[in-house]
Amino acid sequence: MMTCDALIVGGGPAGSTCAWQLRLAGLDVIVAEAVAFPRDKLCAGWITPQVVTALRLDTEAYAHGHTFQPITGFRVGLVDGHHETRVAYDRPASFGILRCEFDHYLLQRADARLAFGAPITSIRMNGGQWIVNDAIRAPMLVGAGGSGCPVSRMLNGARSGGPLVVAREAESRLDAPDRERLAVEQEVPELFFCRDLQGYGWCVRKGEYVNVGLGRLDPRSLPAATARFVAFLEARRKIPPRLSWQWRGHSYAVNAAPRRRIVDAGVLLAGDAAAVADPQSGEGIRQAVESGLLAAQTIVEAQGDFSRDRLEPYAARLEARFAGAPLSGLGRMVPNRVKSVVAGRLLNVPTFVKRVVLDQWFLHRHELALGR
Ligand SMILES: Cc1cc2nc3c(=O)[nH]c(=O)nc-3n(C[C@H](O)[C@H](O)[C@H](O)COP(=O)(O)OP(=O)(O)OC[C@H]3O[C@@H](n4cnc5c(N)ncnc54)[C@H](O)[C@@H]3O)c2cc1C
């Protein structure tokens, strides 16, 4: 039986960030991860500057050998719309990364012991210690296994409430003539809202690849909405016609009341397992990293007493950091019947697109990075 001070289930950004901080504080940490890294992960691969700061990422060193693409603007419009608003920033407003590289880099940097290749399927408590898969024993357990995290299932049951974002994504390599022809700038991702404001699609160029996806709060309409979005992008010459897209889908819970249970004696949840992703943009990497930092801070401060009372401050920290993100801000701002008309008009107003849609809802520029 392997033993450690803290066992983290899941080696994504939430798990690796928590492991990194616990290791810096001198704890013996094991990260148990279902698959071997580097692993692929369904994601547009867009991170905000707050992520870079919170991770203390040396961007120059990272960019050496990894994809790290500055994003200096956005184009925003409506699916089927005739107008796009282009917003430019005078310094990078975000960065494009590849999740297989990024997650692997963070996990290696964490310097924890790794238990790869066996999904955690059994968790039980024995004499104040967690015993996982009958193979690892620890007094402290962190559930960072994403949307299907077994630790979250243990605390909350199979269906833990709250709205789900369902998303489909496909990435395709472009040949040289297509790269020349297409009307998508590499440093300017394109975002297109669905007319009912229940989701949005993106079209992002990353080197020789184009990444297209659509996320919605309504799972039933996703296939039809995706087909419509692809037809729209083809008509606007943003993707080549009749490319065969290999769609992959995923769903994850976003930050909305009622919050699931995230703390108990000897256990915390972080990242998608805690349902902290942003309900408007679907951004989840920043929230995973930040919840990983806050979880580690709480564990270190507990000084080996992992009673519920000593871990409870984590819930308040998470609430303070992520509370108040209203579900689908644009959708809530206007009554249903006039939504699409009003949205169409607002998305034509450059100051609204920049100050509200991008700066507030997507980039959270008013929120300082954690740890600043
Ligand atoms: C299509 C799509 C596009 C997205 N684009 C973006 C984007 O551009 N920017 C952004 O910020 N967010 C984006 N997100 C959200 C983001 O990907 C997630 O919020 C983020 O990955 C959450 O990180 P995490 O560490 O909590 O979980 P994950 O990154 O999901 O990591 C969880 C890890 O746990 C492991 N695991 C699962 N079950 C077990 C088990 N039983 N035992 C052991 N290990 C287990 C998994 O293998 C995985 O490696 C996107 C999501 C989707 C679906």
Side-chain angles (χ1 to χ4, degrees):
M1 177 92 59
M2 294 201 291
T3 60
C4 58
D5 299 324
L7 169 62
I8 298 177
V9 177
S16 62
T17 303
C18 184
W20 170 55
Q21 286 298 300
L22 293 179
R23 289 290 298 130
L24 287 177
L27 274 73
D28 180 15
V29 179
I30 293 178
V31 177
E33 170 51 63
V35 295
F37 273 40
R39 58 103 170 86
D40 201 11
K41 166 84 196 163
L42 197 64
C43 187
W46 151 67
I47 58 170
T48 44
Q50 292 95 324
V51 173
V52 173
T53 307
L55 287 171
R56 286 185 248 142
L57 195 67
D58 178 342
T59 53
E60 244 173 67
Y62 182 79
H64 222 75
H66 302 101
T67 297
F68 193 73
Q69 181 176 297
I71 292 171
T72 55
F74 295 88
R75 275 180 186 274
V76 179
L78 276 179
V79 178
D80 291 340
H82 299 291
H83 178 84
E84 289 154 30
T85 300
R86 189 183 190 284
V87 172
Y89 290 88
D90 50 14
R91 56 198 156 120
S94 279
F95 304 92
I97 49 94
L98 294 179
R99 286 296 295 274
C100 57
E101 293 177 356
F102 188 69
D103 289 15
H104 191 213
Y105 174 88
L106 295 182
L107 191 55
Q108 282 185 318
R109 186 184 72 161
D111 190 32
R113 286 190 283 155
L114 302 174
F116 274 153
I120 298 306
T121 51
S122 88
I123 305 170
R124 62 190 167 88
M125 178 57 100
N126 187 351
Q129 299 268 329
W130 295 105
I131 299 186
V132 163
N133 278 9
D134 288 324
I136 311 173
R137 189 169 59 210
M140 184 67 221
L141 182 66
V142 178
S147 53
C149 181
V151 186
S152 178
R153 263 203 311 276
M154 175 184 80
L155 287 185
N156 294 287
R159 178 79 181 95
S160 37
L164 288 178
V165 167
V166 288
R168 298 177 98 199
E169 184 205 69
E171 198 162 75
S172 231
R173 191 163 179 275
L174 301 169
D175 58 26
D178 276 338
R179 290 203 291 277
E180 289 292 308
R181 253 194 312 264
L182 293 183
V184 176
E185 299 166 80
Q186 183 142 319
E187 299 192 344
V188 183
E190 312 211 342
L191 309 173
F192 297 97
F193 287 88
C194 301
R195 282 201 180 263
D196 63 2
L197 303 179
Q198 289 295 299
Y200 72 93
W202 63 88
C203 180
V204 185
R205 273 286 294 277
K206 278 191 218 164
E208 298 182 347
Y209 290 82
V210 62
N211 181 296
V212 171
L214 186 92
R216 284 182 61 77
L217 287 162
D218 167 19
R220 278 165 309 163
S221 58
L222 186 65
T226 314
R228 193 172 178 154
F229 182 47
V230 168
F232 165 73
L233 293 177
E234 284 178 357
R236 299 296 291 261
R237 299 167 66 86
K238 294 183 183 298
I239 56 175
R242 295 178 297 281
L243 210 62
S244 81
W245 297 96
Q246 306 290 321
W247 292 102
R248 297 183 303 159
H250 184 67
S251 68
Y252 56 111
V254 291
N255 179 20
R259 185 175 288 295
R260 60 181 67 176
R261 199 160 149 212
I262 54 167
V263 177
D264 208 340
V267 57
L268 299 178
L269 301 181
D272 279 359
V276 283
D278 188 82
Q280 283 156 170
S281 64
E283 179 188 19
I285 299 172
R286 177 171 76 89
Q287 293 76 359
V289 165
E290 292 183 348
S291 57
L293 290 176
L294 294 173
Q297 181 192 351
T298 310
I299 293 167
V300 171
E301 285 173 4
Q303 295 185 326
D305 171 2
F306 300 131
S307 61
R308 191 181 169 145
D309 280 356
R310 293 301 295 268
L311 298 179
E312 201 59 56
Y314 174 64
R317 284 174 173 149
L318 224 58
E319 193 60 31
R321 185 63 182 166
F322 301 123
L327 189 63
S328 184
L330 189 55
R332 287 234 167 147
M333 275 184 66
V334 289
N336 273 348
R337 65 200 143 79
V338 285
K339 255 194 224 170
S340 73
V341 177
V342 174
R345 293 204 180 133
L346 285 175
L347 292 177
N348 285 342
V349 180
T351 25
F352 179 81
V353 171
K354 179 168 190 304
R355 300 239 169 97
V356 180
V357 177
L358 293 172
D359 288 353
Q360 282 186 37
W361 298 344
F362 276 76
L363 301 171
H364 298 273
R365 279 162 77 95
H366 52 288
E367 286 176 16
L368 284 183
L370 215 61
R372 275 281 296 272

